[in-house]
Amino acid sequence: YHSSFTSAKWYDRRDAVYIEFCVADSKDVKVNFDKTKFGFTCIGGTDNVKHENEVDLFEAIDQSESKQKRTDRSVLCCLRKAEPGKAWPRLTKEKAKLTWLSVDFNNWKDWEDDSDEEMGNFDQFSDMMNNMGGEDDLPDLDGAAEDDSADSDDESEFHFY
C-alpha cells in the first residue's frame, strides 16, 4: 500500500458542512469525526491505494450527528456544525491551501447573502428550512441567530416584528 490523499470537494450549508471524497470503488472506509478534527481513510480503486486525509476543522462539529454515505464513485461526509447558522468561509482551521481540497461550486450557495436578487428565494428557502410558514419567517440572518429555541421545533412561539 502506498498512501495518498484523495481529492475532495466541500461546500457549506446552514447547519452542516459537506465533504465529498472522490474515490471510486472504495473499501474499508473509515471516517473519524472528532470535535474539531476530521479523518478519512479508505482503500481505493483497482490498484488498492490507501487514502488518508486529515483536516483540522474551521469550527467544532457535533460528531454524534455527523455521518457519511458511500457510493461507487465517492464518499460523502456530512459534518453537523456545533453552531448551526455560522458560515464556514473555509473548511480548515489554518488558511493554508490544501492541494487535494477544492470548493464544490455546484453545491455552494451563499446562504447568508441577502442581496436583492436573493430576496425572492427567501420564502421558499425558509419553508424548506423549517416548514414553519408565516410571512415573516425569513431565514435566520444575523439578528435571529442568537435565538437558540429555533432547534426545538416548538411552533407555539410567536415573533412580533
Side-chain angles (χ1 to χ4, degrees):
Y1 287 132
H2 59 287
S3 212
S4 77
F5 291 127
T6 310
S7 65
K9 299 184 302 217
W10 80 286
Y11 60 98
D12 183 45
R13 281 287 196 271
R14 183 174 293 279
D15 55 355
V17 174
Y18 293 86
I19 312 175
E20 184 173 14
F21 289 97
C22 311
V23 55
D25 304 323
S26 55
K27 28 189 191 299
D28 298 341
V29 174
K30 290 189 190 55
V31 179
N32 184 26
F33 300 107
D34 201 352
K35 194 103 191 99
T36 55
K37 216 194 201 90
F38 166 76
F40 172 82
T41 57
C42 74
I43 309 293
T46 43
D47 46 1
N48 286 329
V49 179
K50 180 163 198 213
H51 295 279
E52 287 188 272
N53 298 46
E54 191 173 75
V55 182
D56 282 316
L57 294 168
F58 178 73
E59 284 276 349
I61 57 168
D62 180 347
Q63 60 268 54
S64 59
E65 287 287 316
S66 298
K67 43 192 175 296
Q68 82 261 18
K69 175 177 186 276
R70 187 199 157 279
T71 68
D72 289 337
R73 289 193 314 281
S74 66
V75 179
L76 181 65
C77 303
C78 167
L79 279 54
R80 173 73 87 150
K81 294 178 181 178
E83 284 186 67
K86 184 168 188 176
W88 288 28
R90 58 182 190 274
L91 183 65
T92 52
K93 200 176 183 57
E94 303 298 322
K95 273 211 164 85
K97 180 110 180 71
L98 298 174
T99 49
W100 53 268
L101 185 67
S102 59
V103 170
D104 185 347
F105 285 108
N106 293 334
N107 284 304
W108 188 277
K109 293 201 179 26
D110 274 340
W111 49 262
E112 33 158 40
D113 177 13
D114 56 355
S115 64
D116 290 343
E117 67 211 52
E118 294 286 310
M119 285 314 232
N121 301 334
F122 270 178
D123 292 337
Q124 59 211 69
F125 197 86
S126 31
D127 286 349
M128 226 167 60
M129 280 306 178
N130 48 20
N131 290 321
M132 281 169 58
E135 306 195 283
D136 291 321
D137 281 319
L138 296 184
D140 291 9
L141 294 171
D142 299 310
E146 284 82 61
D147 178 6
D148 286 333
S149 56
D151 293 343
S152 63
D153 289 334
D154 178 7
E155 303 208 351
S156 60
E157 282 187 303
F158 293 97
H159 294 284
F160 296 102
Y161 290 93

